[in-house]
Amino acid sequence: MSSSVYEDVTERLAQALVGADPGAWAELDGQIRGLVRWGGLVPAPGEWLSATPPRQPTVLELALALCDPDGRAREAALPYAAHTPALLPLVVVRCADWAEPVRDRARALLCAQLPGLAPEALASVASVALREGRRLRGEAARELLTARLREVPEAHLAPLLTSEDRELRRLAHRIAVERDLLSPARLATIAATHLDVVVQDMCASAAITAAGDTVDETVLAPLLGSRSGRVRAAGVTALRRAGRAAEAEPFLYDRSALVRACARWTLRQAGTDPLPLYRAACAAGDPTPCFAPVGLAECGDRVADAPVLWSLTGHELPRVRAGAVVGLRLLDAVRFPRLVPLLDDSSPRVVRETLKALAPWDDHLLAGTQPPAPPPVPVGVPVDAPVPQPRSWVRRALGIARRRGADQG
């Protein structure tokens, strides 16, 4: 083997041994296999297998033999891996080998070695097993690993909950939930603080289920205070089980549509109609919650509630003005002449929502012409106002939006 090739393979192996990338082992396997096929490795890997008397190979020699294109060499090298735990990830790769004898021997070896692995080694092997599980014939190693995690002591599973490998973290949390290793309060805290939405959903549901009919503040407080809308929604839904449905009212004005919907459901289950609450909030003047106009539109009536939303398009808070525009769009109560002036609003949020609401009239905006007469509108909503000419940057934005829509179509 040339010195440059030797150094390259040695460097790749060192990176796989110390790195956090579970795909590095499959890449190493492919690299060695290619080098052997093209005669890049001389002498060929596995010659030490015929040595007399037999000897334990070096880590590099064993890695080369485990990746040899010759299935007989790979099969013969597998027993030596039992004495080299650092190369168990390559044994996991061989569990998906195309040659059945190699697969069977690798799976038997992995099954025998898993119970004795330290937590760090288990995490490394688990990451590779989960990644190789996506390959053809790779499910066996994944199933062996999953079965082992269902049996390991809690102290061995705990480090996997914070693993850098996303798939391993999710599996570890799922098994911890199945084994009831986490208290409802701990599950609620994980749901509220974790960055992975899958883990958030899993732990939020598990926290509420584990708490049963005794959902208390240790569970509700983290869920309701989470930055994730899905977690807050789970907490709002749990308020009914805790007998505290009335506390869902503030969440009628949450920024998340899912949370608002759950709050309406919770209040209705307790016999409270959320619509009058929305109407009262929108008629309150300056204290109007920012997302009250959107919530009103989500459960309101166009004839009865559109005039209130129109009045809120002049509110001093940009979020309320933007919410009013969104509400008008949801109620199908947009009127071209009256909404066009909001394209000159000082808030980009309001302008953005106005552009969405006026999308059906973009031809008229670009041409600066009056659109066809709209259908009848509620009393008190003028429809004969002059059509202002939008600013040039608005015309350009609408033109770009039209061209993108044509390209996508």
Side-chain angles (χ1 to χ4, degrees):
M1 163 186 341
S2 68
S3 59
S4 61
V5 173
Y6 178 86
E7 291 174 359
D8 187 26
V9 173
T10 303
E11 182 180 355
R12 279 289 190 96
L13 177 59
Q15 291 174 350
L17 287 170
V18 301
D21 179 14
W25 294 99
E27 293 174 2
L28 177 67
D29 178 45
Q31 180 195 26
I32 294 174
R33 195 177 297 255
L35 288 172
V36 174
R37 284 200 178 104
W38 291 97
L41 294 180
V42 179
E47 288 193 355
W48 55 270
L49 288 167
S50 58
T52 303
R55 65 179 178 85
Q56 180 66 25
T58 65
V59 173
L60 178 59
E61 289 176 332
L62 181 55
L64 292 173
L66 288 172
C67 301
D68 195 302
D70 188 339
R72 292 167 296 183
R74 298 196 301 275
E75 182 183 3
L78 279 168
Y80 293 89
H83 305 288
T84 313
L87 291 184
L88 274 181
L90 274 181
V91 176
V92 174
V93 174
R94 296 281 68 87
C95 287
D97 201 280
W98 66 269
E100 184 176 0
V102 178
R103 289 199 307 272
D104 292 342
R105 197 160 194 173
R107 292 169 184 176
L109 176 60
L110 180 63
C111 185
Q113 293 296 310
L114 281 176
L117 290 183
E120 290 185 2
L122 179 63
S124 176
V125 171
S127 294
V128 179
L130 293 177
R131 189 183 188 280
E132 293 299 303
R134 308 169 195 165
R135 295 176 54 192
L136 180 65
R137 299 180 294 270
E139 67 283 350
R142 183 188 184 105
E143 291 171 359
L144 286 172
L145 180 277
T146 304
R148 176 56 189 161
L149 292 183
R150 290 194 172 100
E151 301 171 352
V152 296
E154 182 178 353
H156 286 205
L157 187 62
L160 305 187
L161 298 175
T162 57
S163 169
E164 295 182 3
D165 187 323
R166 181 180 63 181
E167 193 171 358
L168 180 56
R169 285 197 312 270
R170 292 176 177 177
L171 177 61
H173 279 90
R174 183 164 62 250
I175 291 176
V177 168
E178 292 175 0
R179 295 177 57 182
D180 295 325
L181 298 180
L182 303 174
S183 68
R186 174 72 190 285
L187 288 168
T189 300
I190 293 174
T193 59
H194 210 281
L195 300 179
D196 189 331
V197 294
V198 173
V199 174
Q200 289 174 4
D201 288 349
M202 185 192 311
C203 291
S205 299
I208 296 171
T209 301
D213 294 331
T214 59
V215 182
D216 57 19
E217 195 65 19
T218 62
V219 174
L220 287 175
L223 297 181
L224 295 175
S226 172
R227 297 181 61 182
S228 167
R230 297 174 67 89
V231 176
R232 292 198 305 279
V236 170
T237 305
L239 285 171
R240 174 175 174 266
R241 179 180 294 185
R244 299 163 54 179
E247 297 179 28
E249 181 178 347
F251 295 94
L252 289 174
Y253 320 114
D254 194 273
R255 64 182 180 272
S256 166
L258 177 61
V259 175
R260 295 194 299 270
C262 289
R264 290 193 292 269
W265 177 86
T266 300
L267 288 172
R268 288 186 183 118
Q269 295 300 307
T272 302
D273 185 0
L275 183 55
L277 299 176
Y278 276 125
R279 287 173 174 167
C282 289
D286 290 342
T288 302
C290 294
F291 291 91
V294 183
L296 175 61
E298 288 170 341
C299 64
D301 176 79
R302 180 171 63 176
V303 175
D305 299 315
V308 176
L309 294 177
W310 277 114
S311 68
L312 291 176
T313 58
H315 198 278
E316 65 177 1
L317 294 179
R319 284 179 177 269
V320 175
R321 296 199 300 274
V325 175
V326 174
L328 291 169
R329 176 166 55 84
L330 293 177
L331 287 178
D332 195 22
V334 174
R335 297 296 171 256
F336 178 87
R338 190 170 181 180
L339 202 59
V340 165
L342 288 180
L343 291 173
D344 285 330
D345 195 277
S346 59
S347 168
R349 181 190 298 271
V350 177
V351 175
R352 183 168 61 248
E353 296 300 339
T354 303
L355 286 170
K356 291 181 183 178
L358 292 177
W361 290 280
D362 60 352
D363 288 337
H364 303 290
L365 278 171
L366 290 169
T369 60
Q370 179 75 25
V377 297
V379 176
V381 180
V383 296
D384 55 351
V387 181
Q389 188 77 0
R391 292 187 295 188
S392 59
W393 69 268
V394 174
R395 295 165 65 89
R396 288 197 298 271
L398 287 167
I400 292 171
R402 276 188 83 196
R403 288 195 295 273
R404 286 180 178 172
D407 293 342
Q408 292 174 358

